[in-house]
Amino acid sequence: ALDQIFTDSGQVRILGVDPYYHLRHARFAAENFPDLMRWDIGTHYPTGQRAHTASLFDFGIASVAFVIGLGDPSERLVDYVAVWTPPILASLTTAFLYLLVQSVFSRVAALSASAVFLMYPGTSLHRTLLGFADHHGAEMALGLLTTWGVIRCLQQCDLGSPGWRPLLPIAGYALPAALLVYTW
């Protein structure tokens, strides 16, 4: 519950091991905005290693904290943004699932799919718990948004028209796929 994440001492606890990796990178990015950590001394002890996976997920947390902190986010603010990111992404995942199913079937089918996902989340529940600041929630949301974009593109894009104008909707629908690639 909340007291496991937000302790009486004022410390914010993160669930799991990988989220600490992301939190360390998000803190660095928030403090050195917009730079990302490229050498991570916290991995591959004692020498560290190149941070190949400093990601858009970490940068997203840092960006939100940077904006909320008016350009000077504290570590505590970055921690708060990090712990709240997974449940927010879970909400977006449910909304994107609704959009995807509605674009292929009907509103009733979309509501049914969303209800089933909420009642039987499977492994997505663990990945989107408050405090589990890992990239999996972002991957689920962006994966569904990418699939919805492909379906909408196939439904609406007129690839037979000459010129570059028919490509504009395709670029917009492809953006989530590009973001997904850089999430991890």
Side-chain angles (χ1 to χ4, degrees):
L2 288 177
D3 60 339
Q4 293 177 352
I5 304 299
F6 307 106
T7 64
D8 291 337
S9 66
Q11 180 184 9
V12 178
R13 285 195 195 143
I14 305 294
L15 303 176
V17 178
D18 287 352
Y20 279 100
Y21 171 88
H22 290 290
L23 181 60
R24 190 172 58 251
H25 283 265
R27 283 177 177 171
F28 179 90
E31 185 177 323
N32 301 287
F33 196 81
D35 294 331
L36 295 173
M37 183 186 308
R38 291 298 172 200
W39 188 264
D40 187 359
I41 195 66
T43 57
H44 204 277
Y45 181 81
T47 59
Q49 71 180 12
R50 179 163 170 70
H52 295 288
T53 58
S55 68
L56 186 61
F57 178 75
D58 306 325
F59 186 72
I61 291 171
S63 297
V64 170
F66 190 80
V67 169
I68 293 173
L70 302 174
D72 189 25
S74 64
E75 276 191 8
R76 186 173 172 87
L77 178 60
V78 176
D79 295 352
Y80 270 81
V81 171
V83 299
W84 283 104
T85 297
I88 291 169
L89 289 171
S91 300
L92 290 172
T93 298
T94 306
F96 296 153
L97 175 64
Y98 177 88
L99 284 174
L100 172 64
V101 175
Q102 184 187 25
S103 67
V104 177
F105 298 108
S106 67
R107 176 179 268 163
V108 172
L111 287 171
S112 300
S114 298
V116 168
F117 178 73
L118 288 172
M119 290 187 295
Y120 302 105
T123 58
S124 67
L125 175 63
H126 174 70
R127 305 291 189 214
T128 56
L129 288 174
L130 178 73
F132 193 79
D134 206 349
H135 62 278
H136 303 294
E139 290 173 345
M140 288 186 294
L142 289 171
L144 284 169
L145 195 57
T146 298
T147 306
W148 174 76
V150 168
I151 289 171
R152 296 297 291 169
C153 187
L154 291 173
Q155 291 172 341
Q156 294 180 345
C157 294
D158 183 15
L159 298 176
S161 298
W164 57 270
R165 283 190 178 257
L167 299 178
L168 288 178
I170 294 172
Y173 289 133
L175 181 62
L179 295 175
L180 178 62
V181 169
Y182 290 106
T183 300
W184 180 237

